[in-house]
Amino acid sequence: MSDLGHVLVLAGGLSYEREVSLRSGRRVSEVLRAAGVDVEARDTDASLVPSILADPPDAVFVTLHGGAGEDGAIRSVLELLNVPYVGADPDACRVAFDKPTAKAVVRSVGLHTPESVTLPKETFHDLGATVVLGRIVEHLGLPLFVKPARGGSALGASIVRTAEELPAAMVGCFAYGDTALIERYVEGVEVAVSVVDFGNGPVALPAVEIVPDEGVYDYAARYTAGHTEFFAPARLSAQAAAACAETAVTAHTALGLRDISRTDLIVDAAGIPHFLEVNVAPGMTETSLLPMAAEAAGQDLGDLCRTLLQNAATRFHA
């Protein structure tokens, strides 16, 4: 049995990723209960703060995706309540959640990341979409990848292979955020590398290779069983696998993250990993990548989550 008292798993919220978050929360709750932990699962509503004040948990596991779950807001509230939690602090979350900022940070420490342009919706309205989009294509070339500057689960994201496809991609992107990140698309093997830190420094779990049936790892491919084939560990050379692990740990460290993260990469034909984005609250559903990586490493997911909670509680009391 766990030496923790009761712990709180936060899931749901009001972002576009609410349903995925609820699934992550259920999975984490189930594996923690199987590991002997007294778990309470809660949504983020007006009753949350009073309930924490009345009965403070020993630690909190945040499985909120997008919005307040990853931009530091809910973690700021947890700090106001003096409650320990798993994961990065609010300042680090704010940097990591903004994809262009995260790309700038990892580029500053020598990591490869696709060349990109970040523009708010107002720019296209004020200066004219046609001329601005034309310059983007001339500058970055084709194909491109368009996605909201903040957010996750590939919502509003798409590959653009011709100039004629770019306006529709921008419309789809702006449906999920007011600022677009348009980056040069790198052909290669798509992998995700999860990083965990049990108190002795961040360590990369085996890379998970992602092969979606339709060629694009979109929302449906991520969360519908059978739409994507996964390989854990990824089918990479030993040298490329080591480079991916080093890239993920370097990104985790440079961004000031702690406990847990997941870095998404493209490995090009030369075996060089290119940083795409990092997740401070990785998905924990049945089709999510961190649980696959943990299994490939021979780690029980319940033990992993319990250890992270225990470390968070110890860190808080220290």
Side-chain angles (χ1 to χ4, degrees):
M1 297 292 287
S2 170
D3 58 0
L4 288 166
H6 85 285
V7 305
L8 193 62
V9 173
L10 293 182
L14 295 176
S15 79
Y16 292 116
E17 300 171 72
R18 173 178 172 80
E19 292 304 317
V20 178
S21 172
L22 290 170
R23 288 170 57 183
S24 286
R26 282 194 294 270
R27 180 83 184 280
V28 170
S29 298
E30 289 169 0
V31 298
L32 283 172
R33 290 190 182 105
V37 180
D38 177 17
V39 179
E40 178 188 7
R42 291 293 304 269
D43 207 331
T44 52
D45 54 32
S47 67
L48 178 63
V49 171
S51 69
I52 290 177
L53 289 171
D55 186 17
D58 287 272
V60 176
F61 203 110
V62 180
T63 60
L64 297 162
H65 306 319
E70 296 186 72
D71 67 3
I74 195 68
R75 296 158 199 254
S76 293
V77 173
L78 293 174
E79 295 201 350
L80 290 172
L81 296 171
N82 291 318
V83 175
Y85 57 88
V86 171
D89 67 23
D91 288 342
C93 285
R94 280 187 281 272
V95 173
F97 186 61
D98 188 79
K99 296 180 180 67
T101 304
K103 282 166 65 73
V105 170
V106 302
R107 185 183 292 111
S108 73
V109 295
L111 299 184
H112 295 273
T113 187
E115 187 178 357
S116 62
V117 174
T118 303
L119 292 171
K121 182 165 54 178
E122 289 77 8
T123 299
F124 298 93
H125 178 270
D126 295 344
L127 301 181
T130 301
V131 65
V132 176
L133 293 177
R135 292 302 299 168
I136 290 172
V137 172
E138 289 181 29
H139 180 70
L140 293 178
L142 291 166
L144 299 168
F145 197 83
V146 177
K147 57 187 174 183
R150 308 173 95 222
S153 293
L155 292 167
S158 59
I159 296 175
V160 173
R161 298 196 179 276
T162 68
E164 291 73 23
E165 294 173 351
L166 186 53
M170 300 301 296
V171 171
C173 175
F174 288 136
Y176 291 96
D178 292 332
T179 301
L181 172 63
I182 307 115
E183 60 186 2
R184 182 174 291 148
Y185 182 73
V186 178
E187 299 281 357
V189 179
E190 187 167 2
V191 301
V193 183
S194 299
V195 172
V196 294
D197 186 347
F198 295 132
N200 298 312
V203 175
L205 299 179
V208 178
E209 180 182 349
I210 303 154
V211 186
D213 289 345
E214 302 298 324
V216 180
Y217 193 43
D218 58 13
Y219 186 89
R222 288 167 187 254
Y223 302 114
T224 306
H227 280 218
T228 300
E229 190 172 9
F230 301 99
F231 296 90
R235 299 170 299 177
L236 299 171
S237 67
Q239 184 177 5
C244 288
E246 182 180 2
T247 296
V249 170
T250 300
H252 180 98
T253 303
L255 291 163
L257 306 182
R258 68 184 184 194
D259 297 338
I260 189 169
S261 70
R262 193 195 76 232
T263 294
D264 298 338
L265 306 167
I266 293 286
V267 183
D268 67 18
I272 298 172
H274 297 256
F275 173 94
L276 300 179
E277 59 188 77
V278 69
N279 300 265
V280 299
M284 303 291 277
T285 74
E286 296 77 5
T287 58
S288 292
L289 303 168
L290 189 147
M292 293 182 198
E295 183 177 357
Q299 294 189 13
D300 178 79
L301 185 61
D303 290 341
L304 183 152
C305 293
R306 180 182 59 192
T307 301
L308 291 173
L309 285 162
Q310 289 172 329
N311 287 353
T314 300
R315 178 172 62 227
F316 174 79
H317 292 296

